């Protein structure tokens, strides 16, 4: 299976250009789409699930334009929208059973087995008989994940999936996705949370103001920041000055003042030590330095 996004543009009726000439190839595995709010992620997701048409350009699924093959696309799709809501008085298991039926699972016995397996995976088995609209916010989110994953979809699209999840729930969710990614499925994960990307995604794209500014493996993004991240010790006074001068990523109070990590093109004076970047450093480096430098601003 393969998705090819070609020269994709989206201009909303009010003139907002949300996507600018995107070209992306997506193969089985987890593909992370990272970008700040307003970057165009949801617009792209809505086009990919055929809820919205592009202004121009195409999305090909195994060579076929998805706009002309909506039913085919939807039959293999599991989708968690950013604002997943449901209005139902169904019990949790009934809601998921309904989702499974919609996803094409016809055999009732098999479906019920799958419903409980899925409820167990997302940690909702204990509340299976509770009305879905009585679940807590985090539980509703997990039910949203379950309805996207049930019925063995070959294409899974999740928009800001970890919003509202606790740290341990986030880890559980990542593990579920990693497990699924072994099975020749395409998983597209859109997020503004850098930490969602690093450990799960084989490939990623960084979207900014409707444009792809990086695409490749997360390690390659990290590689771009190598040689630009420093750790240094600052007194209180120096720290105040440094705040104006540098992109400070992390600060830890120490006896003599502060230990900080900064992302910069020019080495800071004094006791700065070059350190190995992580994906958060790389994200800041890319968004704050590289793009600005490339655009000469
Ligand atoms: P993200 O999901 O990355 O936050 P969106 O795709 O929601 O980004 O938005 C991208 C841009 O398109 C933003 O500038 C946003 O204001 C604009 N936008 C989104 N939806 C609409 C709409 N229905 N009408 C007009 N502009 C919109």
């Amino acid at each position: 299976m393969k998705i090819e996004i070609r020269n994709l543009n989206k201009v909303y009726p009010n003139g907002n250009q949300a996507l600018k000439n995107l070209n992306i190839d997506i193969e089985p595995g987890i593909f992370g789409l990272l970008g700040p709010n307003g970057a165009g992620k949801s617009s792209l997701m809505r086009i990919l699930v055929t809820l919205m048409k592009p202004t121009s350009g195409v999305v090909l699924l195994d060579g076929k334009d998805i706009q002309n093959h909506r039913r085919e696309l939807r039959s293999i799709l599991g989708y968690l929208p950013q604002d997943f809501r449901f209005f139902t008085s169904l019990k949790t298991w009934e809601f998921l059973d309904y989702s499974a039926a919609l996803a094409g699972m016809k055999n009732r016995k098999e479906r019920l087995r799958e419903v409980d397996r899925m409820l167990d995976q997302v940690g909702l088995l204990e509340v299976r008989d509770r009305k879905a609209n009585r679940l807590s916010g985090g539980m509703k989110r997990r039910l949203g994940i379950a309805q996207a994953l049930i019925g063995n979809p070959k294409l899974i699209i999740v928009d800001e999936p970890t919003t509202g999840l606790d740290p341990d729930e986030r880890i559980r969710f990542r593990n579920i996705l990693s497990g699924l990614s072994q099975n020749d499925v395409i998983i597209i994960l859109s997020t503004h949370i850098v930490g969602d990307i690093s450990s799960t995604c084989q490939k990623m794209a960084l979207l900014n103001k409707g444009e792809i500014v990086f695409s490749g493996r997360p390690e390659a993004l990290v590689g771009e920041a190598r040689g630009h991240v420093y750790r240094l010790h600052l007194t209180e006074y120096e720290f105040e000055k440094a705040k104006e001068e540098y992109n400070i990523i992390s600060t830890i109070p120490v006896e003599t003042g502060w230990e900080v990590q900064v992302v910069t093109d020019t080495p800071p004076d004094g006791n700065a030590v070059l350190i190995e970047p992580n994906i958060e450093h790389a994200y800041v480096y890319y968004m704050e330095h590289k793009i600005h430098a490339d655009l000469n601003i």
Side-chain angles (χ1 to χ4, degrees):
M1 196 164 53
K2 191 162 97 178
I3 292 178
E4 295 159 284
I5 298 171
R6 292 289 175 264
N7 305 320
L8 199 72
N9 285 282
K10 178 69 195 180
V11 184
Y12 284 105
N14 68 356
N16 274 354
Q17 180 155 14
L19 300 173
K20 295 176 191 158
N21 217 37
L22 297 197
N23 285 286
I24 315 174
D25 288 346
I26 304 176
E27 292 186 346
I30 307 180
F31 182 88
L33 184 69
L34 178 66
N37 284 328
K41 302 181 298 296
S42 288
S43 300
L44 177 58
M45 299 293 110
R46 287 202 295 270
I47 292 172
L48 286 175
V49 301
T50 68
L51 283 177
M52 186 167 84
K53 285 186 180 165
T55 308
S56 65
V58 285
V59 177
L60 304 173
L61 175 67
D62 288 335
K64 295 181 197 161
D65 184 346
I66 58 169
Q67 286 300 331
N68 304 329
H69 296 84
R70 287 183 188 206
R71 193 170 297 178
E72 224 170 303
L73 176 112
R74 289 184 183 192
S75 71
I76 61 161
L77 174 71
Y79 176 46
L80 174 67
Q82 190 170 4
D83 56 350
F84 172 73
R85 279 181 226 153
F86 48 82
F87 302 94
T88 175
S89 53
L90 293 178
K91 290 178 180 167
T92 299
W93 77 265
E94 288 172 333
F95 177 78
L96 201 52
D97 185 46
Y98 177 67
S99 307
L102 284 183
M105 295 191 74
K106 296 208 172 75
N107 182 314
R108 186 175 151 79
K109 228 172 153 187
E110 228 171 70
R111 208 167 63 219
L112 291 180
R113 220 180 14 244
E114 185 60 11
V115 163
D116 277 357
R117 195 185 65 82
M118 207 66 235
L119 286 174
D120 190 31
Q121 268 210 342
V122 299
L124 292 177
L125 198 55
E126 278 170 29
V127 292
R128 73 189 292 286
D129 293 317
R130 194 184 297 178
K131 287 198 169 161
N133 56 14
R134 293 269 172 82
L135 297 176
S136 72
M139 286 175 172
K140 282 183 181 157
R141 198 71 198 150
R142 284 187 268 151
L143 184 56
I145 291 167
Q147 65 77 36
L149 302 185
I150 202 156
N152 296 319
K154 300 291 281 175
L155 171 62
I156 297 167
I157 296 185
V158 285
D159 199 355
E160 300 283 354
T162 64
T163 311
L165 296 187
D166 297 338
D168 60 326
E169 292 173 345
R170 276 178 195 201
I171 293 167
R172 186 188 349 217
F173 173 66
R174 278 184 218 162
N175 290 340
I176 295 175
L177 286 193
S178 297
L180 288 171
S181 70
Q182 322 282 323
N183 310 338
D184 197 38
V185 294
I186 290 181
I187 301 173
I188 302 175
L189 171 99
S190 137
T191 184
H192 71 281
I193 299 170
V194 184
D196 280 349
I197 296 288
S198 52
S199 44
T200 35
C201 301
Q202 288 96 349
K203 281 282 225 38
M204 65 170 291
L206 189 54
L207 197 62
N208 187 48
K209 298 191 177 135
E211 288 178 287
I212 298 288
V213 292
F214 170 87
S215 84
R217 299 181 68 82
E219 303 87 86
L221 183 70
V222 172
E224 300 259 359
R226 201 161 282 135
H228 299 276
V229 186
Y230 294 84
R231 183 178 59 225
L232 59 165
H233 287 95
L234 303 172
T235 62
E236 193 70 44
Y237 171 72
E238 290 167 331
F239 180 50
E240 288 307 317
K241 252 180 60 189
K243 276 198 230 168
E244 286 161 26
E245 211 171 319
Y246 298 112
N247 277 119
I248 297 182
I249 305 266
S250 86
T251 53
I252 306 170
V254 289
E255 244 171 66
T256 52
W258 297 90
E259 180 186 299
V260 302
Q261 294 179 0
V262 299
V263 173
T264 173
D265 283 327
T266 44
D269 295 336
N271 56 33
V273 179
L274 211 50
I275 59 170
E276 181 61 18
N278 61 29
I279 188 123
E280 305 222 13
H281 297 130
Y283 179 74
V284 172
Y285 174 68
Y286 230 87
M287 299 305 278
E288 304 287 337
H289 289 259
K290 202 153 187 315
I291 294 172
H292 284 213
D294 288 353
L295 297 176
N296 266 332
I297 48 177

